[in-house]
Amino acid sequence: MTSVFDLAPETPVVPVVVIEDAADAVPLARALVAGGLPLIEVTLRTPAALDAVRAIAAEVPDAVVGVGTVVSAAGVAEAVGAGARFLVSPGWTERLLGAMRESGVPFLPGVSTASEVVALLEQGVDAMKFFPAEAAGGVPYLKSLAGPLPRARFCPTGGVSLANARGYLSLPNVGCVGGTWMLPPDALAAHDWARVETLAREAAAVRVPVGG
Protein backbone atom coordinates (compact mmCIF):
# COMPACT_ATOMS: atom_id res chain seq x y z
CA MET A 1 0.00 0.00 0.00
CA THR A 2 1.11 3.55 -0.73
CA SER A 3 2.39 5.42 2.32
CA VAL A 4 0.99 8.75 3.43
CA PHE A 5 4.51 10.07 2.89
CA ASP A 6 4.23 9.18 -0.80
CA LEU A 7 0.98 11.07 -1.42
CA ALA A 8 2.75 14.44 -1.65
CA PRO A 9 6.45 13.67 -1.17
CA GLU A 10 7.60 17.26 -1.70
CA THR A 11 5.27 18.61 0.98
CA PRO A 12 6.99 19.02 4.37
CA VAL A 13 3.96 20.15 6.37
CA VAL A 14 0.43 18.75 6.77
CA PRO A 15 -2.07 21.37 7.97
CA VAL A 16 -4.21 19.94 10.77
CA VAL A 17 -7.59 21.57 10.23
CA VAL A 18 -10.54 21.96 12.59
CA ILE A 19 -13.55 23.16 10.60
CA GLU A 20 -16.56 24.55 12.44
CA ASP A 21 -18.56 25.48 9.32
CA ALA A 22 -18.48 23.24 6.25
CA ALA A 23 -18.99 26.32 4.08
CA ASP A 24 -15.43 27.35 4.94
CA ALA A 25 -13.92 24.07 3.75
CA VAL A 26 -13.47 24.80 0.06
CA PRO A 27 -11.98 28.32 0.30
CA LEU A 28 -9.74 27.18 3.14
CA ALA A 29 -8.50 24.17 1.17
CA ARG A 30 -7.93 26.32 -1.92
CA ALA A 31 -5.84 28.74 0.12
CA LEU A 32 -3.71 25.92 1.53
CA VAL A 33 -3.19 24.35 -1.89
CA ALA A 34 -2.30 27.72 -3.42
CA GLY A 35 0.25 28.16 -0.65
CA GLY A 36 1.89 24.84 -1.47
CA LEU A 37 0.27 22.57 1.14
CA PRO A 38 -1.96 20.11 -0.76
CA LEU A 39 -1.96 17.39 1.91
CA ILE A 40 -4.75 18.44 4.31
CA GLU A 41 -5.87 16.63 7.46
CA VAL A 42 -9.41 17.49 8.55
CA THR A 43 -9.95 16.38 12.12
CA LEU A 44 -13.10 14.66 13.35
CA ARG A 45 -13.51 17.16 16.16
CA THR A 46 -16.60 18.98 14.92
CA PRO A 47 -19.99 18.00 13.48
CA ALA A 48 -19.01 19.74 10.23
CA ALA A 49 -15.90 17.63 9.62
CA LEU A 50 -17.29 14.97 7.28
CA ASP A 51 -19.28 17.47 5.24
CA ALA A 52 -16.09 19.51 4.94
CA VAL A 53 -14.19 16.48 3.65
CA ARG A 54 -16.92 15.77 1.09
CA ALA A 55 -16.79 19.35 -0.16
CA ILE A 56 -13.00 19.42 -0.46
CA ALA A 57 -12.92 16.05 -2.20
CA ALA A 58 -15.54 17.20 -4.70
CA GLU A 59 -14.44 20.77 -5.36
CA VAL A 60 -10.68 21.03 -4.76
CA PRO A 61 -9.10 18.43 -7.05
CA ASP A 62 -5.53 19.49 -6.26
CA ALA A 63 -6.04 18.83 -2.54
CA VAL A 64 -5.21 15.46 -1.00
CA VAL A 65 -7.72 15.47 1.81
CA GLY A 66 -7.49 13.09 4.75
CA VAL A 67 -9.22 12.65 8.07
CA GLY A 68 -7.59 12.84 11.48
CA THR A 69 -8.67 12.05 15.03
CA VAL A 70 -9.93 8.69 13.78
CA VAL A 71 -10.46 6.57 16.90
CA SER A 72 -12.88 3.82 15.87
CA ALA A 73 -13.70 1.40 13.08
CA ALA A 74 -16.91 3.36 12.49
CA GLY A 75 -14.87 6.53 12.13
CA VAL A 76 -12.69 4.83 9.52
CA ALA A 77 -15.73 3.85 7.47
CA GLU A 78 -17.28 7.32 7.72
CA ALA A 79 -14.03 9.02 6.73
CA VAL A 80 -13.45 6.85 3.67
CA GLY A 81 -17.10 7.18 2.69
CA ALA A 82 -16.72 10.97 2.77
CA GLY A 83 -13.76 10.84 0.41
CA ALA A 84 -10.73 10.70 2.70
CA ARG A 85 -7.56 9.72 0.87
CA PHE A 86 -5.64 9.02 4.07
CA LEU A 87 -6.37 8.44 7.77
CA VAL A 88 -4.63 9.63 10.92
CA SER A 89 -5.22 8.46 14.48
CA PRO A 90 -3.84 9.81 17.78
CA GLY A 91 -3.21 6.22 18.94
CA TRP A 92 -4.12 2.71 17.92
CA THR A 93 -5.66 -0.57 19.03
CA GLU A 94 -5.75 -3.90 17.23
CA ARG A 95 -9.33 -3.28 16.11
CA LEU A 96 -8.63 0.25 14.86
CA LEU A 97 -5.47 -0.86 13.08
CA GLY A 98 -7.39 -3.67 11.38
CA ALA A 99 -10.06 -1.25 10.18
CA MET A 100 -7.47 1.16 8.82
CA ARG A 101 -5.69 -1.66 6.99
CA GLU A 102 -8.97 -2.82 5.44
CA SER A 103 -9.93 0.71 4.38
CA GLY A 104 -7.67 0.59 1.35
CA VAL A 105 -6.22 4.06 1.97
CA PRO A 106 -2.87 5.01 3.55
CA PHE A 107 -2.90 5.61 7.29
CA LEU A 108 -0.79 6.94 10.15
CA PRO A 109 -1.49 5.25 13.50
CA GLY A 110 -0.38 7.34 16.45
CA VAL A 111 2.48 6.38 18.77
CA SER A 112 4.35 8.05 21.63
CA THR A 113 6.54 5.24 23.00
CA ALA A 114 9.21 2.88 21.69
CA SER A 115 7.07 -0.12 22.61
CA GLU A 116 4.20 1.15 20.45
CA VAL A 117 6.60 1.65 17.56
CA VAL A 118 7.97 -1.89 17.92
CA ALA A 119 4.44 -3.31 18.07
CA LEU A 120 3.53 -1.60 14.78
CA LEU A 121 6.77 -2.68 13.11
CA GLU A 122 5.95 -6.27 14.10
CA GLN A 123 2.73 -5.87 12.13
CA GLY A 124 4.48 -4.50 9.08
CA VAL A 125 3.50 -0.86 9.66
CA ASP A 126 6.40 1.57 9.37
CA ALA A 127 4.60 4.91 8.78
CA MET A 128 3.35 6.47 12.01
CA LYS A 129 2.15 9.67 13.63
CA PHE A 130 4.25 10.76 16.62
CA PHE A 131 1.82 12.39 19.03
CA PRO A 132 1.85 14.52 21.10
CA ALA A 133 5.24 15.33 19.66
CA GLU A 134 6.59 18.03 21.95
CA ALA A 135 5.04 16.61 25.11
CA ALA A 136 6.34 13.11 24.28
CA GLY A 137 9.97 14.15 23.92
CA GLY A 138 10.19 16.09 20.69
CA VAL A 139 13.23 16.11 18.44
CA PRO A 140 15.60 14.47 20.97
CA TYR A 141 13.23 11.54 21.47
CA LEU A 142 12.74 10.87 17.77
CA LYS A 143 16.47 11.23 17.20
CA SER A 144 17.09 8.56 19.83
CA LEU A 145 14.65 6.19 18.10
CA ALA A 146 16.36 6.45 14.73
CA GLY A 147 19.28 4.23 15.76
CA PRO A 148 17.50 1.15 17.13
CA LEU A 149 14.35 1.52 14.99
CA PRO A 150 15.53 2.85 11.62
CA ARG A 151 12.58 1.41 9.65
CA ALA A 152 10.02 3.58 11.43
CA ARG A 153 9.12 6.92 9.82
CA PHE A 154 7.10 9.57 11.56
CA CYS A 155 4.86 12.57 11.09
CA PRO A 156 5.25 14.48 14.38
CA THR A 157 2.16 16.44 15.41
CA GLY A 158 1.33 18.29 18.62
CA GLY A 159 3.29 21.39 19.54
CA VAL A 160 5.02 21.58 16.16
CA SER A 161 5.46 25.15 14.97
CA LEU A 162 7.32 27.21 12.40
CA ALA A 163 10.06 27.66 14.98
CA ASN A 164 10.76 23.95 15.52
CA ALA A 165 9.53 22.30 12.29
CA ARG A 166 12.94 22.40 10.62
CA GLY A 167 14.47 20.54 13.57
CA TYR A 168 12.01 17.70 13.12
CA LEU A 169 12.39 17.64 9.34
CA SER A 170 16.17 17.38 9.66
CA LEU A 171 15.80 13.93 11.24
CA PRO A 172 16.22 10.88 8.97
CA ASN A 173 13.11 9.21 10.39
CA VAL A 174 10.72 12.14 9.83
CA GLY A 175 8.78 12.29 6.57
CA CYS A 176 6.70 15.38 7.30
CA VAL A 177 5.24 17.30 10.23
CA GLY A 178 1.67 18.24 11.11
CA GLY A 179 0.66 21.58 12.52
CA THR A 180 -1.91 24.33 12.88
CA TRP A 181 0.24 27.46 12.95
CA MET A 182 -0.73 28.42 9.38
CA LEU A 183 -4.38 28.45 10.50
CA PRO A 184 -4.63 31.18 13.17
CA PRO A 185 -8.13 31.37 14.69
CA ASP A 186 -8.51 35.07 13.95
CA ALA A 187 -7.75 34.54 10.24
CA LEU A 188 -10.28 31.70 10.05
CA ALA A 189 -12.93 33.73 11.87
CA ALA A 190 -12.39 36.64 9.46
CA HIS A 191 -12.31 34.34 6.43
CA ASP A 192 -8.92 35.86 5.63
CA TRP A 193 -7.93 33.22 3.10
CA ALA A 194 -5.18 35.43 1.67
CA ARG A 195 -3.42 35.38 5.04
CA VAL A 196 -3.85 31.59 5.26
CA GLU A 197 -2.29 31.26 1.81
CA THR A 198 0.66 33.44 2.85
CA LEU A 199 1.25 31.42 6.02
CA ALA A 200 0.90 28.18 4.07
CA ARG A 201 3.53 29.35 1.59
CA GLU A 202 5.85 30.17 4.50
CA ALA A 203 5.26 26.70 5.96
CA ALA A 204 5.83 24.98 2.61
CA ALA A 205 9.23 26.65 2.42
CA VAL A 206 10.38 24.87 5.59
CA ARG A 207 12.39 22.19 3.84
CA VAL A 208 15.73 20.77 4.81
CA PRO A 209 18.25 20.68 1.94
CA VAL A 210 19.58 17.27 0.95
CA GLY A 211 22.67 16.59 3.01
CA GLY A 212 21.74 19.14 5.61
Side-chain angles (χ1 to χ4, degrees):
M1 179 184 291
T2 300
S3 166
V4 171
F5 301 123
D6 298 325
L7 293 175
E10 300 302 315
T11 302
V13 178
V14 180
V16 180
V17 183
V18 179
I19 295 181
E20 300 289 347
D21 185 346
D24 294 340
V26 168
L28 174 56
R30 286 175 176 160
L32 292 171
V33 171
L37 300 180
L39 207 63
I40 301 170
E41 175 189 337
V42 177
T43 64
L44 290 180
R45 299 183 188 180
T46 69
L50 291 174
D51 285 338
V53 172
R54 292 186 188 96
I56 295 170
E59 299 183 47
V60 192
D62 292 332
V64 182
V65 63
V67 170
T69 323
V70 178
V71 296
S72 69
V76 169
E78 290 173 343
V80 174
R85 294 174 59 185
F86 65 94
L87 305 169
V88 184
S89 68
W92 66 279
T93 64
E94 293 286 347
R95 183 178 181 187
L96 179 58
L97 185 65
M100 290 192 291
R101 281 185 185 277
E102 293 170 6
S103 72
V105 302
F107 56 90
L108 291 172
V111 298
S112 59
T113 69
S115 294
E116 291 169 326
V117 175
V118 171
L120 284 177
L121 290 173
E122 282 185 346
Q123 302 212 37
V125 178
D126 57 13
M128 311 171 194
K129 171 179 177 173
F130 180 56
F131 176 82
E134 284 291 283
V139 170
Y141 190 85
L142 284 181
K143 186 176 182 179
S144 70
L145 291 183
L149 301 170
R151 286 196 298 120
R153 293 187 73 205
F154 303 95
C155 176
T157 304
V160 179
S161 66
L162 184 63
N164 61 22
R166 187 176 294 273
Y168 282 104
L169 291 166
S170 69
L171 300 177
N173 56 352
V174 170
C176 62
V177 299
T180 62
W181 74 86
M182 73 297 299
L183 302 162
D186 58 336
L188 300 185
H191 295 165
D192 190 349
W193 310 127
R195 183 180 172 200
V196 171
E197 180 180 338
T198 297
L199 293 172
R201 186 170 290 109
E202 184 180 39
V206 182
R207 293 183 174 89
V208 177
V210 175

